Amino acid sequence: MTEVDRPVTHRRARSAVLATVLGVTLVGGVVLSAMVGQLPVAPGEVLGAILRAIGIETAWASDDPIIDSTLWAVRFPRLVMGLVVGAALAVAGAVMQAIFGNPLAEPGVVGVSSGAALGAAAAIVFGITAFGGWAVAAFAFAGGLLAVLLVYFVSRASGRTEVVTLLLTGIAINAFAGAGLALLMFAGDTSSREQIVFWQLGSMNGARWPEVGIVAAITLIGTLAAVVLARRYDLLSLGERAARHLGVDVERLRVISIVLVALLTGVAVAFCGIISFVGLVVPHIIRMAIGPKHRPLIIASAIGGGVLLVFADVLARTLVSGADLPIGMLTSLVGGPFFFYLLYRARRQSGGWA
């Protein structure tokens, strides 16, 4: 083996190890998530129920209608929602880090989460019922999308968008949305305040198949679009000027990517509340494992984000007996220390990002 071939071989070996780890943890997380709860279910009954659904009858499947109903009406929708929401947030984070060229970028910096929180709070405080049971989700999605579009058009000048201006505008929009949220909580009654607070903390509780279908469809489309754009993200990582010389329309790529991030994050936040740090932590861990090439990075981030949220949801349901902890709180407890680690590591190796 030559010196030139050695890094490629090592990268392939790391990719194979990562794929094995993700596959094993994904299967383990799916079975574990379906097993635990107030009604214990055996692993064989979980596998038997899944096989029966695809037309394969086995002796493992339970004939108890209560177990069957628990799995298909409660646990499987919640499990699949965790997988697709984690994938959506992780892919959105990978795209944000690609277009900003900064490993600390995440969807929240362009105002998606704060805009969604403001929209959801408005629907709760004013008692809007225009979309039935989906009013909060619809207003949260609209708020997140509107915030991103506002950030983009305010920061655009002379046909171009500067990254620094975009980030500063995002900070301003986040501050404005935070103030609006505080005003709505002040104006609302006690019940509305409690509902807003619990919505912001994030939860998979109460996920239903129609909602899972919407989030899954947008996550699949968004992930495929990000994979198609991966080659251009690789060229953009060489620098804007180099990317333009290589034929990349940087401005168009940035606009498409921001809309993509808004859709992926908006639909996840709309149905499950604010779940922080998944978009920051997962792409960075995957990048450390297999390198910066974006196509494998985006695909592995989607799987890794789903695995992370499935295990976080299991902890949320089991850490406190008889209670369902907010999943956004758990991901922040993991993401906060990891963020400090990134700062420490960057400062130690290169003196920081400044």
Side-chain angles (χ1 to χ4, degrees):
M1 182 188 303
T2 66
E3 291 296 327
V4 176
D5 294 334
R6 187 166 290 127
V8 176
T9 305
H10 287 171
R11 191 162 55 244
R12 287 176 178 169
R14 288 198 301 269
S15 299
V17 171
L18 178 68
T20 304
V21 170
L22 286 177
V24 170
T25 52
L26 177 63
V27 173
V30 166
V31 175
L32 180 65
S33 179
M35 287 171 54
V36 299
Q38 293 184 353
L39 177 64
V41 179
E45 292 173 327
V46 175
L47 295 176
I50 295 173
L51 291 174
R52 177 186 284 171
I54 58 177
I56 303 175
E57 285 292 343
T58 65
W60 300 334
S62 173
D63 294 326
D64 188 342
I66 297 178
I67 290 179
D68 207 45
S69 175
T70 300
L71 288 175
W72 287 104
V74 179
R75 294 188 189 170
F76 284 159
R78 182 168 182 155
L79 168 63
V80 179
M81 181 66 96
L83 287 172
V84 294
V85 166
L89 294 175
V91 170
V95 172
M96 282 289 292
Q97 291 167 14
I99 60 174
F100 286 120
N102 190 321
L104 294 186
E106 67 144 1
V109 301
V110 290
V112 182
S113 299
S114 56
L118 184 61
I124 293 170
V125 171
F126 296 120
I128 297 172
T129 58
F131 298 94
W134 289 4
V136 174
F139 271 73
F141 182 77
L145 191 59
L146 185 63
V148 173
L149 293 176
L150 190 59
V151 167
Y152 174 71
F153 284 112
V154 170
S155 61
R156 186 179 171 86
S158 304
R160 295 188 58 186
T161 309
E162 295 291 339
V163 172
V164 175
T165 309
L166 196 71
L167 291 173
L168 292 174
T169 309
I171 292 172
I173 293 295
N174 276 325
F176 177 79
L181 182 63
L183 178 63
L184 287 173
M185 291 180 72
F186 176 78
D189 55 21
T190 303
S191 173
S192 298
R193 290 193 199 102
E194 289 180 356
Q195 194 175 348
I196 292 170
V197 168
F198 278 104
W199 182 88
Q200 286 189 88
L201 292 175
S203 177
M204 302 292 166
N205 192 16
R208 296 172 296 176
W209 284 117
E211 300 165 353
V212 173
I214 294 173
V215 180
I218 294 182
T219 300
L220 180 61
I221 294 170
T223 302
L224 290 176
V227 170
V228 170
L229 295 172
R231 173 66 177 161
R232 297 176 195 178
Y233 295 144
D234 289 339
L235 297 176
L236 185 60
S237 66
L238 301 174
E240 285 192 27
R241 180 175 296 179
R244 286 194 180 94
H245 284 304
L246 292 170
V248 177
D249 187 338
V250 175
E251 191 61 26
R252 186 179 177 189
L253 176 62
R254 192 163 283 151
V255 172
I256 293 173
S257 300
I258 289 175
V259 172
L260 197 60
V261 169
L263 288 174
L264 287 169
T265 311
V267 76
V269 172
F271 288 105
C272 299
I274 298 175
I275 301 174
S276 304
F277 283 111
V278 176
L280 170 67
V281 173
V282 174
H284 203 79
I285 293 175
I286 300 295
R287 190 180 292 105
M288 286 192 294
I290 62 172
K293 195 173 182 181
H294 283 90
R295 183 161 295 168
L297 171 66
I298 290 169
I299 295 172
S301 293
I303 301 172
V307 170
L308 175 63
L309 269 202
V310 166
F311 278 99
D313 188 48
V314 170
L315 290 176
R317 286 186 281 145
T318 56
L319 281 180
V320 179
S321 178
D324 200 334
L325 294 177
I327 197 168
M329 180 190 71
L330 291 175
T331 56
S332 295
L333 284 174
V334 175
F338 190 78
F339 186 81
F340 288 130
Y341 164 72
L342 291 182
L343 291 174
Y344 170 76
R345 183 169 175 266
R347 179 170 293 177
R348 187 178 178 184
Q349 292 183 346
S350 58
W353 283 286

